[in-house]
Amino acid sequence: MATPPGARGPVEFAATAARARPATHNPHTASGDAPLILSGATVVLPTGTVQNGRVIIDGDTIIGAAPENAQVIDVTGHTLVPGFVDIHNHGGGGASFTSGTADDVLTGIHTHRLHGTTTLVASTVTGDMDFLAQRAGLLSELAEQGDIAGIHFEGPFISPCRKGAHSEELLRDPDPAEVRKLIDAARGKAKMVTLATELPGGIDSVRLLAEHGVIAAIGHTDATYEQTVEAIDAGATVATHLFNAMPALGHRTPGPIAALLEDERITVELINDGTHLHPAALQLAFHHKGADRVAFITDAMDAAGFGDGRYMLGPLEVEVSEGVARLVEGGSIAGSTLTLDRAFKRAVTVDRLPVEDAVAALSANPARLLGMADRIGSLEPGRYADLVLLDADFELKGVMRRGEWVVDPQLG
């Protein structure tokens, strides 16, 4: 991984970013302090938005009734939403989840927490099978520690016709035995595998993943409409960054997009950074899927939260200029530099989505996909105290994860 000229290293960046958000109130933590009430905010709940609401936190959990000894922080004029859940993320803060040490991965995780992502699935890019299996071992340890929610393998089982920023010489057909090798290497922490399901072994691999409780995601695919329908019937449930790295929608050859949009069993990922999608494409997805079947993702690479410069994405060199990442050779878009706080603000200010729909796409829907909706993704009692505090302009002003402030509330 190349560090941009004049830029700080990943660890220094993370520490500086944290210091750049000074506390203006005594932060509550889950280490034995009194319960906390965040009072006066607009609170976005699954049942609707509550004005002048409050969220009550005891330890690492949201509770329903306020104890007598609770601290109160007045957050009037702000909006409280659940912590963001990113199911497709390759890195940030100058660090890659596909390479580097465990400390490097933690730097990337922390970078995204500073931007409101309280739950994250670490995504790998195409590599040699033995390397990916080894990488799965390291990431599974972080999952066991609770630092990440699991692992997403994007490649190597994808189409060379739609490879995007993946090394073509390392691509391979989705042989179920090799898919099983990665699942086993992840020690129960594999959450999702992206496949070009039209390739030999693709349908059998979808069935294998479904049997093991791993999300089969259709992506980087050159499939026809009919082949996509077959994969959905076999158990695929997610479309990896819909519209990107797949054939365009045609009136005689509708391809995968039509099949993925029309089937209620599919949740579609969208990269809402203003580069990957035209606003009309985003509106088309919401119109056909409904707000409960869209998941905003970052597809972030190392440069997210870090800066322009040259980086490595797996074995491929990437140039990031004005926040857009492209391969040095060929110019293909190479992931994004997006953070989910920016995706949220764009959704409600540029795309004009209702705040409730944006919350569903950023929190509730990905939490459901991960099988964690009983613990994360909403501000209901019994869930973890994962939340994001936003001002009237939807700028991030505080982040809490498991009852501890990652970004202390800025209310001045």
Side-chain angles (χ1 to χ4, degrees), residues 170-191:
L170 294 174
L171 301 181
R172 56 210 303 129
D173 291 338
D175 180 342
E178 294 199 319
V179 175
R180 178 63 186 267
K181 178 180 179 179
L182 292 185
I183 296 174
D184 290 345
R187 303 200 301 263
K189 300 303 180 181
K191 289 294 183 180

Side-chain angles (χ1 to χ4, degrees), residues 233-380:
D233 288 340
T237 55
V238 166
T240 293
H241 42 56
L242 185 73
F243 301 111
N244 300 119
M246 60 182 63
L249 182 66
H251 65 291
R252 291 193 181 94
T253 54
I257 292 174
L260 295 166
L261 283 176
E262 72 183 10
D263 199 302
E264 65 182 10
R265 294 171 290 181
I266 291 290
T267 298
V268 300
E269 296 180 346
L270 298 177
I271 308 171
N272 192 26
D273 61 353
T275 298
H276 282 78
L277 296 175
H278 189 282
L282 181 141
Q283 292 294 342
L284 180 70
F286 271 88
H287 175 75
H288 284 276
K289 299 306 298 184
D292 61 344
R293 286 293 181 268
V294 174
F296 283 146
I297 60 165
T298 61
D299 194 17
M301 46 80 71
D302 312 16
F306 198 60
D308 289 354
R310 288 211 171 185
Y311 299 81
M312 297 303 295
L313 186 62
L316 303 178
E317 191 171 14
V318 175
E319 176 79 30
V320 179
S321 177
E322 296 182 352
V324 178
R326 294 186 180 275
L327 291 182
V328 171
E329 292 189 14
S332 292
I333 294 177
S336 85
T337 62
L338 185 64
T339 52
L340 285 183
D341 58 333
R342 287 168 45 209
F344 185 97
K345 182 171 181 178
R346 181 178 178 83
V348 297
T349 62
V350 176
D351 303 311
R352 302 295 182 184
L353 292 178
V355 170
E356 295 85 355
D357 289 359
V359 167
L362 283 155
S363 302
N365 298 343
R368 184 192 70 247
L369 284 170
L370 296 176
M372 300 176 68
D374 60 335
R375 289 166 282 167
I376 61 172
S378 77
L379 297 179
E380 296 172 286

Side-chain angles (χ1 to χ4, degrees), residues 48-66:
T49 298
V50 177
Q51 304 296 329
N52 193 28
R54 62 181 186 172
V55 175
I56 308 165
I57 298 139
D58 190 6
D60 64 357
T61 305
I62 296 170
I63 60 175

Side-chain angles (χ1 to χ4, degrees), residues 14-187:
T16 305
R19 289 197 298 270
R21 294 162 168 80
T24 55
H25 292 267
N26 181 30
H28 167 81
T29 70
S31 58
D33 291 352
L36 177 70
I37 301 173
L38 300 176
S39 177
T42 298
V43 182
V44 184
L45 298 169
T47 53
T49 298
V50 177
Q51 304 296 329
N52 193 28
R54 62 181 186 172
V55 175
I56 308 165
I57 298 139
D58 190 6
D60 64 357
T61 305
I62 296 170
I63 60 175
E68 292 183 0
N69 63 334
Q71 304 175 42
V72 179
I73 297 180
D74 184 358
V75 289
T76 301
H78 293 73
T79 298
L80 283 170
V81 300
F84 305 140
V85 181
D86 195 352
I87 61 172
H88 186 157
N89 187 316
H90 297 279
S96 167
F97 298 151
T98 306
S99 60
T101 66
D103 284 343
D104 293 331
V105 176
L106 290 171
T107 294
I109 295 166
H110 183 65
T111 297
H112 285 281
R113 286 184 186 170
L114 294 174
H115 292 276
T117 298
T118 53
T119 301
L120 180 149
V121 174
S123 303
T124 61
V125 297
T126 293
D128 175 84
M129 286 294 296
D130 289 338
F131 171 78
L132 289 175
Q134 181 185 35
R135 198 68 193 166
L138 181 149
L139 293 173
S140 66
E141 291 180 8
L142 295 176
E144 289 161 1
Q145 294 168 191
D147 296 304
I148 59 175
I151 307 166
H152 164 219
F153 297 101
E154 188 182 25
F157 311 115
I158 61 177
S159 172
C161 302
R162 305 288 173 178
K163 64 183 184 298
H166 291 256
S167 177
E168 185 168 355
E169 58 266 26
L170 294 174
L171 301 181
R172 56 210 303 129
D173 291 338
D175 180 342
E178 294 199 319
V179 175
R180 178 63 186 267
K181 178 180 179 179
L182 292 185
I183 296 174
D184 290 345
R187 303 200 301 263

